[in-house]
Structure formats: C-alpha cells, structure tokens
Amino acid sequence: MFTLVRSRVRTAALALSAVAALAFGGTATTGAAAAPAPAKQGPTSVAYVEVNNNSMRNVGKYTLANGGGNVFDVAVIFAANINYDTATKAAYLHFNENVQRVLDNAATEIRPLQRKGIKVVLSVLGNHQGAGFANFPSQQAASAFAKQLSDAVAKYGLDGIDFDDEYAEYGNNGTGRPNDSSFVHLVTALRANMPDKIISLYNIGPAASRLSYGGVDVSSMFDYAWNPYYGTWQVPRVALPKSRLSPAAVEIGRTSRGTVASLARRTVSEGYGVYLTYNLDGNDRSADVSAFTRELYGSDAVYTP
C-alpha cells in the first residue's frame, strides 16, 4: 500500500465560542468525559497533524497566556486512506501503520486531548488506487463506505470525519470517473449514521465541486469547510455560514509569521469563524502559534512540553 504525506506544493499557493461549542456536537469520547476548557472568545482553531512523523499529543501542549484556554479546538489525524480492492471492486477504509498506532493507542494519543475539550477528527485521503469520494458507482456502494467511516468513529471514540479528495487518481484499476451523485450519497449516509459528530470538508478535488444531486444539497451537512492552499486566503464555495468557514490556511513553521498574522486579522475583521493550521510538529512552535493567537484571541500562546 502506498501511504501519503500531504504535498508541500500547497504551501506556495467572531467571538464564536458558544456557537462553536454547539457545532462540535456531543462528546465522542468513550470513558473520557471532557472537562470544560477555560472560556475562549474567538474563532475555532484547527490543527492537522501528520501522524507519520508527529504525535497528536502536541495539539494539547498549547494554551493561551491570558486565561489558559486551549489554543486548538479541533485536532485532525492526517490521514487514513480510501483504498480500492481489485478483487471485490470496492473501496475500503485503510489505516497505515502510523494511523493505526494512533488509533490503537487512543488512551494516550486521543483521550488526553478530548479530556481537555479538544475534538479529534480523522481525515480520509485518496491513495492513487482509483477509489475516491466522487466515483462510487451506486448509492449502496457509497453507503457501505459511509458505514466503514462511522464504524471507525464509534470504535475508536473519535469526534468525526474530514474529507480530503486528493490523490485518488480516478480511473486507476478500472475505476470510474467522478460522477455527480457519489459524494452526495456518501455525505448523506454518513450524516445519517452520525448526526452529532463533525463532518468537515477540505475544499479540494472533484468531490468538493459536486455537493448537489437530485434535489439534495449536502452543503449544510458539513460542520466546517476550509481553504486547502496554505499561506493564502480563499473562501470555500460551500453554502455554510461564515462561522463554519476558514478562508485562511497556514502551515505552521513554513508560512511566514507576517502572513499568519495577516490572515488571522482578516479572519476576525471579516467575521469568519474558523482558522486552519497544518503540520503541527513536536517542536516549540509558540512563536509561530502566537502570530495568530494574538489576532484571534488577544493573547500569546504558551507551549508546555
């Protein structure tokens, strides 16, 4: 199996805490009751973690100097894969050894974050095998994959699923090209399976441009949608309120602090409710993180190893 790390090519490219708390839905932890985090006013902050190289625990190491609230509200495990079984001609959910390690060690990698009040979401990504969210041949096939996703959320006590339609290479292994019904069926089934969990959209790929079919528009079924191009401002074309959109996207340690701060200021000034960050690693990134927390929350970030 070929396992991916997100391409760095994309690097080149308001007060909503009460609303955000409702948007997160019910607690998805098993045996890990979430203690209320100190109050934080401002947009929802999201951190993708490349678990091939880094620990999910890093997300919980950042708090605000003023008030002690969590810097990050949502932690994304990057990434599981949608793979293709050439024998059964069906897509299936695949975990590489690093994702599986995180899930198997939920007690140390996931539950500590959830106890702090941080939601933990699993991102799912294409894997060059022809299977993707946009080419399920039938509603039944889409629903079968949706069940694999919701079963994983239930099994590992996660808080939701993030869709990232990249690297599918539609057509490989004799698979079909993207069609208009596939992603609508998938999202509809997944939302029915997990009505109180997060479903987020990394706004890229054929699936992201196919959100309506047969009179059904799944836009409102997403909790969040975000810009996929780091270091840029791009409003996702998804029919969600500003409180659930992140036009800003930054890569921690690679996007300049000036750009990080500028995008955060714009997030606040234009009334958007989410700020997306990618590639939080195990180093002390408090200077990079403070570049946006000052603008979003009026506070520096503190790193506690």
Side-chain angles (χ1 to χ4, degrees):
M1 304 294 180
F2 184 82
T3 304
L4 292 171
V5 174
R6 190 192 301 281
S7 169
R8 297 305 193 271
V9 172
R10 290 200 295 269
T11 302
L14 249 149
L16 297 162
S17 57
V19 174
L22 292 173
F24 287 149
T27 300
T29 62
T30 301
K40 181 179 79 173
Q41 297 294 313
T44 296
S45 184
V46 181
Y48 276 79
V49 179
E50 291 261 17
V51 297
N52 285 345
N53 307 307
N54 299 297
S55 170
M56 293 300 296
R57 294 191 299 272
N58 295 327
V59 181
K61 294 179 179 180
Y62 292 88
T63 54
L64 297 175
N66 299 338
N70 298 319
V71 166
F72 297 105
D73 303 290
V74 180
V76 184
I77 301 168
F78 189 80
N81 295 108
I82 177 171
N83 279 11
Y84 188 69
D85 187 323
T86 56
T88 62
K89 299 188 184 305
Y92 67 95
L93 182 61
H94 171 71
F95 306 135
N96 73 18
E97 61 182 5
N98 296 303
V99 172
Q100 190 67 66
R101 173 185 48 78
V102 170
L103 297 175
D104 288 343
N105 291 281
T108 56
E109 289 285 316
I110 297 172
R111 302 292 174 257
L113 300 181
Q114 292 172 324
R115 284 194 291 268
K116 290 175 181 284
I118 299 169
K119 301 297 182 179
V120 181
V121 172
L122 178 67
S123 185
V124 185
L125 180 72
N127 206 8
H128 299 283
Q129 299 182 9
F133 313 128
N135 69 343
F136 287 104
S138 67
Q139 184 173 6
Q140 181 181 17
S143 295
F145 188 73
K147 186 174 188 306
Q148 292 184 49
L149 295 175
S150 57
D151 284 352
V153 167
K155 178 177 180 178
Y156 296 107
L158 302 173
D159 295 293
I161 292 292
D162 174 65
F163 287 112
D164 183 348
D165 190 17
E166 299 180 274
Y167 310 115
E169 296 190 14
Y170 291 102
N172 279 1
N173 290 314
T175 56
R177 305 304 301 173
N179 64 66
D180 291 339
S181 64
S182 176
F183 196 43
V184 172
H185 290 322
L186 176 61
V187 175
T188 300
L190 183 61
R191 178 50 78 201
N193 291 352
M194 41 182 239
D196 300 320
K197 306 296 185 183
I198 293 170
I199 303 178
S200 58
L201 178 64
Y202 194 82
N203 190 44
I204 199 168
S209 63
R210 292 169 166 83
L211 303 182
S212 179
Y213 176 78
V216 176
D217 189 319
V218 296
S219 298
S220 63
M221 297 183 191
F222 293 104
D223 293 276
Y224 306 107
W226 27 70
N227 170 18
Y229 300 106
Y230 304 119
T232 73
W233 177 273
Q234 183 181 103
V235 180
R237 294 182 178 180
V238 181
L240 288 172
K242 283 185 171 184
S243 61
R244 296 182 179 222
L245 296 175
S246 181
V250 302
E251 182 171 354
I252 293 174
R254 297 195 62 162
T255 303
S256 74
R257 291 173 192 167
T259 298
V260 168
S262 175
L263 292 173
R265 277 195 301 275
R266 188 170 179 182
T267 297
V268 173
S269 68
E270 297 192 20
Y272 286 94
V274 189
Y275 190 85
L276 178 70
T277 75
Y278 168 66
N279 205 27
L280 183 68
D281 59 22
N283 298 315
D284 179 355
R285 297 292 184 183
S286 55
D288 297 295
V289 173
S290 292
F292 68 82
T293 61
R294 291 187 197 108
E295 305 297 335
L296 299 182
Y297 313 119
S299 174
D300 282 338
V302 176
Y303 172 77
T304 304

